[in-house]
Amino acid sequence: MATAQMLMQAEDIIRKALPPVLAHSCRVANIDRQCLTLAVPAAAYATRLRQLTPTLLRKLTHHGWNLSQIDIRVQAGLLAQTHKSPPREVQPLGRTALDSFQELQQKVEPGPLADAISRLLTHHGR
């Protein structure tokens, strides 16, 4: 039970340090001595995690973990275990941006671009 709690604590710290899509796909598989093993579903995830390894080690050290190495393993079946998609990060357009799009709409000739700008403005309540 203590080992499972320890793995979950480490996973929580790592998930907060990673971008949402990567955090959703990454699992802490093991902690052995000073080595943390992470499991990911594909090589692309592993490559990105290897780039973020120094950041992850700093975050873990800051939270009191005595780790010197992160080992990354690709496990193809891991993707099938994910239950829901990560939350979308949506930032609504501000007033300045909407005003700029409205100004642009008046200057653009009728066509696909003008239609797209019109849909964007309609979608955002203008």
Side-chain angles (χ1 to χ4, degrees), residues 93-108 113 116-118 120-121 124 126:
L93 294 175
R95 170 173 246 140
T96 307
L98 290 173
D99 290 343
S100 297
F101 274 114
Q102 198 158 16
E103 183 180 323
L104 179 64
Q105 182 186 27
Q106 295 169 358
K107 294 179 182 179
V108 173
L113 179 60
I117 294 170
S118 177
L120 182 136
L121 290 170
H124 286 276
R126 287 273 172 123

Side-chain angles (χ1 to χ4, degrees), residues 26-68:
C26 179
R27 301 279 184 266
V28 173
N30 193 17
I31 299 176
D32 185 29
R33 297 185 191 107
Q34 293 182 327
C35 180
L36 174 80
T37 303
L38 297 175
V40 292
Y45 293 102
T47 301
R48 183 68 177 126
L49 269 179
R50 284 186 185 96
Q51 294 171 348
L52 294 170
T53 297
T55 303
L56 295 176
L57 282 172
R58 276 194 305 272
K59 290 281 186 182
L60 288 163
T61 302
H62 177 75
H63 284 87
W65 292 84
N66 186 20
L67 298 170
S68 60

